Structure formats: structure tokens, C-alpha cells
């Protein structure tokens, strides 16, 4: 006998219209808590500025490469 979980009857339709709503209600959902950004400070801020400078340097090198071309 086939397991119905893996081989459902193709003639039956599956009603999932309220599954998420019932899950949200069961989990105590409703209004979501507001989110705020964490302040970026210290070494992380320095690392991001370093990445920005690296990207600018690479764009300059690519521009130089395209302008000179292959000779």
C-alpha cells in the first residue's frame, strides 16, 4: 500500500488557503516587532571604508586597462 503522505490521491485537491494564517495564529503572531539598524562602529566601519577604497582602486585600474587596450 502506498503512503498517502508521499503519494496523494491525484483526484483530491489540497486546500492550503488558511495554513499560513492558522500557523501564524498558533505561534502568537500578529503585529511584527519594529526593526532598527544596528550602528556600524569600530573595526567594521574601518573594514567597510577599506572595501570602498579597494573598489574605487579596482575601477580605476579597469578604466586604465580599457583605455589603453591591447597593443
Amino acid at each position: 500500500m502506498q503512503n498517502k503522505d508521499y503519494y496523494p490521491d491525484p483526484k483530491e485537491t489540497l486546500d492550503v488557503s488558511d495554513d499560513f494564517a492558522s500557523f501564524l495564529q498558533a505561534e502568537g503572531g500578529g503585529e511584527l516587532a519594529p526593526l532598527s539598524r544596528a550602528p556600524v562602529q569600530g573595526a567594521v566601519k574601518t573594514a567597510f571604508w577599506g572595501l570602498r577604497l579597494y573598489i574605487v582602486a579596482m575601477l580605476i585600474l579597469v578604466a586604465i586597462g580599457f583605455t589603453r587596450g591591447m597593443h
Side-chain angles (χ1 to χ4, degrees), residues 8-60:
D9 186 5
K11 295 176 187 169
E12 294 178 18
T13 59
L14 185 60
D15 181 26
V16 294
S17 60
D18 66 335
D19 280 348
F20 182 72
S22 62
F23 167 77
L24 193 61
Q25 186 178 19
E27 292 296 318
E31 279 296 315
L32 298 176
L35 297 176
S36 61
R37 284 189 155 193
V40 180
Q41 31 181 308
V44 175
K45 195 173 202 176
T46 305
F48 277 116
W49 274 109
L51 284 171
R52 288 179 185 129
L53 293 173
Y54 174 78
I55 291 170
V56 168
M58 290 299 112
L59 289 173
I60 290 171

Side-chain angles (χ1 to χ4, degrees), residues 55-71:
I55 291 170
V56 168
M58 290 299 112
L59 289 173
I60 290 171
L61 290 175
V62 167
I64 291 171
F66 276 120
T67 56
R68 294 193 177 196
M70 292 182 65
H71 297 286

